[in-house]
Amino acid sequence: MNNYPSRIIEQAVEEISKLPGIGKKSALRLALHLLKRPESQSLQLAHALVQLRTETQFCPQCHMISDGGLCGICHSHKRDESLICVVEDMRDVLAIENTGQFIGLYHVLGGIISPLAGISPSDLQIDSLIQRVSAGKVTEVILGLSPTMEGDTTAFYLTKKLKEFPIKISTIARGIPIGGDLEYTDEITLGRSIVGRVVYE
Amino acid sequence: MNNYPSRIIEQAVEEISKLPGIGKKSALRLALHLLKRPESQSLQLAHALVQLRTETQFCPQCHMISDGGLCGICHSHKRDESLICVVEDMRDVLAIENTGQFIGLYHVLGGIISPLAGISPSDLQIDSLIQRVSAGKVTEVILGLSPTMEGDTTAFYLTKKLKEFPIKISTIARGIPIGGDLEYTDEITLGRSIVGRVVYE
């Protein structure tokens, strides 16, 4: 697949295949798809991509994407400012917001500590989290990180950093998913759900 | 996932998810990926997409994509002009070129007859194929179409259209793939490979 008949196609395939999860073959498929569609679709897509990168701003408080200034959540008067949920990226915020169960604010780290991927604590929005907590309004930090090696590492690091403050530190519950079947749950999850059992009060 | 925190993100997700095989979740993932990368990557991608749609031209003879004028294959003096391989789209040309086994020219239909998808013969480059054949230089048309219902329909239609000309019409061989195992070949392929057996001469 090296002999593209057109330099323009080659360039488009090259650029599209830089996206994660899209190889040269898929990129070519997408490029040919765009060629078959009305011109306006490609131009709108290109415009949206330029806007995305040149006009998007980040909330100065929680580092969530915003159209400018504080994001909608930080700006709202209905949220509980004493509660901060720390998450890896914006998708987690959207996922938690969709549950409708959380009324506090967020703090988007912008990644997760991963020595393998070369991401160290200094690459993440950890200093600004410490600042938010040290301002004194916060009473609880909930660590909403994925139950993976990297998530646990990040949680451990944050716990160490935050323990000097007089706040509660908690993590989202890990255990058997609702609707899940005990028999088919993997042993690590099941083990954790026994260790982390909840006592009826 | 309806409450995007930013209008710009929402628009980007909207446009990206119009691509085939990319849903809203993947689109959001791609958008967030671009946000983490250097600005130049997004701008280059956008530029390549605009160029793709505004500057790409099609070869006036075989309808393959070209940078302008005849495509490299039609333009070459080393190819056998009496042989035309009819294919569905550009990807098939690239696949056949990669084999290095074909020295003739191509004819890209730009699709395949598919009543279900609303694609009729008039949507394809069939008239221009007839014109190329009627010019008299062509001695054989090879139908390089996929062995699917639509491919067979298209092949049947083309055969009917081409039989008034004094040319050979052939189709690429269908049978058990090289390295394939008889036992694990599906019965339709195996059946066809028996019916279409090749006699040793």
Side-chain angles (χ1 to χ4, degrees), chain B residues 42-90:
Chain B
S42 303
L43 300 188
Q44 276 165 13
L45 174 58
H47 180 69
L49 292 175
V50 170
Q51 268 209 324
L52 177 70
R53 207 56 187 76
T54 54
E55 291 184 23
T56 313
Q57 295 176 24
F58 292 88
C59 172
Q61 182 166 281
C62 73
H63 309 293
M64 168 90 152
I65 286 156
S66 83
D67 280 344
L70 282 185
C71 71
I73 296 171
C74 285
H75 195 260
S76 166
H77 295 295
K78 293 183 183 159
R79 315 286 302 211
D80 183 351
E81 286 182 40
S82 67
L83 212 57
I84 291 183
C85 181
V86 177
V87 294
E88 183 181 341
D89 70 19
M90 200 191 92

Side-chain angles (χ1 to χ4, degrees), chain A residues 1 6 37 53 67 98, chain B residues 1 6 37 53 67 98:
Chain A
M1 282 283 229
S6 147
R37 296 271 131 180
R53 206 55 187 76
D67 280 342
N98 274 345
Chain B
M1 280 280 229
S6 146
R37 295 270 132 180
R53 207 56 187 76
D67 280 344
N98 274 344

Side-chain angles (χ1 to χ4, degrees), chain B residues 129-158:
Chain B
L129 172 64
I130 305 295
Q131 268 171 33
R132 281 179 80 180
V133 171
S134 64
K137 274 189 187 168
V138 177
T139 58
E140 179 172 357
V141 168
I142 303 171
L143 302 176
L145 302 165
S146 298
T148 58
M149 183 88 94
E150 287 85 5
D152 288 349
T153 308
T154 310
F156 181 72
Y157 183 87
L158 290 176

Side-chain angles (χ1 to χ4, degrees), chain A residues 1-9 11-12 15-16 18-22 25 28-58 64-67 71-72 88-91 94-95 97-98 110-111, chain B residues 1-9 11-12 15-16 18-22 25 28-58 64-67 71-72 88-91 94-95 97-98 110-111:
Chain A
M1 282 283 229
N2 301 316
N3 46 349
Y4 294 105
S6 147
R7 193 187 43 76
I8 295 166
I9 274 276
Q11 220 161 28
E15 291 298 332
I16 298 173
K18 283 184 190 163
L19 294 172
I22 298 183
K25 280 205 168 182
L28 182 58
R29 194 170 53 88
L30 294 177
L32 291 178
H33 170 86
L34 285 174
L35 275 174
K36 280 187 190 164
R37 296 271 131 180
E39 187 170 318
S40 62
Q41 189 182 337
S42 302
L43 300 187
Q44 277 165 11
L45 173 58
H47 180 69
L49 292 175
V50 170
Q51 268 209 323
L52 176 70
R53 206 55 187 76
T54 54
E55 291 183 23
T56 314
Q57 296 177 22
F58 292 88
M64 170 91 152
I65 286 157
S66 83
D67 280 342
C71 71
E88 183 182 341
D89 71 18
M90 200 191 91
R91 281 178 290 168
L94 295 180
E97 280 299 286
N98 274 345
Chain B
M1 280 280 229
N2 300 317
N3 46 350
Y4 294 105
S6 146
R7 190 187 45 76
I8 294 167
I9 273 276
Q11 221 162 26
E15 292 298 332
I16 297 174
K18 281 183 191 163
L19 294 171
I22 298 183
K25 280 206 168 183
L28 182 58
R29 194 169 53 86
L30 293 177
L32 290 178
H33 170 86
L34 286 174
L35 275 175
K36 280 188 190 167
R37 295 270 132 180
E39 187 170 318
S40 62
Q41 189 181 337
S42 303
L43 300 188
Q44 276 165 13
L45 174 58
H47 180 69
L49 292 175
V50 170
Q51 268 209 324
L52 177 70
R53 207 56 187 76
T54 54
E55 291 184 23
T56 313
Q57 295 176 24
F58 292 88
M64 168 90 152
I65 286 156
S66 83
D67 280 344
C71 71
E88 183 181 341
D89 70 19
M90 200 191 92
R91 282 178 291 168
L94 296 180
E97 281 298 286
N98 274 344

Side-chain angles (χ1 to χ4, degrees), chain A residues 54-129:
Chain A
T54 54
E55 291 183 23
T56 314
Q57 296 177 22
F58 292 88
C59 171
Q61 183 167 281
C62 73
H63 309 293
M64 170 91 152
I65 286 157
S66 83
D67 280 342
L70 282 184
C71 71
I73 295 171
C74 285
H75 195 259
S76 165
H77 296 294
K78 292 182 184 161
R79 314 286 302 211
D80 183 350
E81 286 181 40
S82 67
L83 214 55
I84 291 183
C85 182
V86 177
V87 293
E88 183 182 341
D89 71 18
M90 200 191 91
R91 281 178 290 168
D92 303 324
V93 173
L94 295 180
I96 296 175
E97 280 299 286
N98 274 345
T99 68
Q101 297 288 325
F102 182 66
I103 52 150
L105 304 181
Y106 294 93
H107 191 87
V108 179
L109 293 177
I112 202 158
I113 298 173
S114 169
L116 276 178
I119 302 172
S120 71
S122 60
D123 297 321
L124 307 178
Q125 299 290 358
I126 292 179
D127 287 346
S128 67
L129 172 65

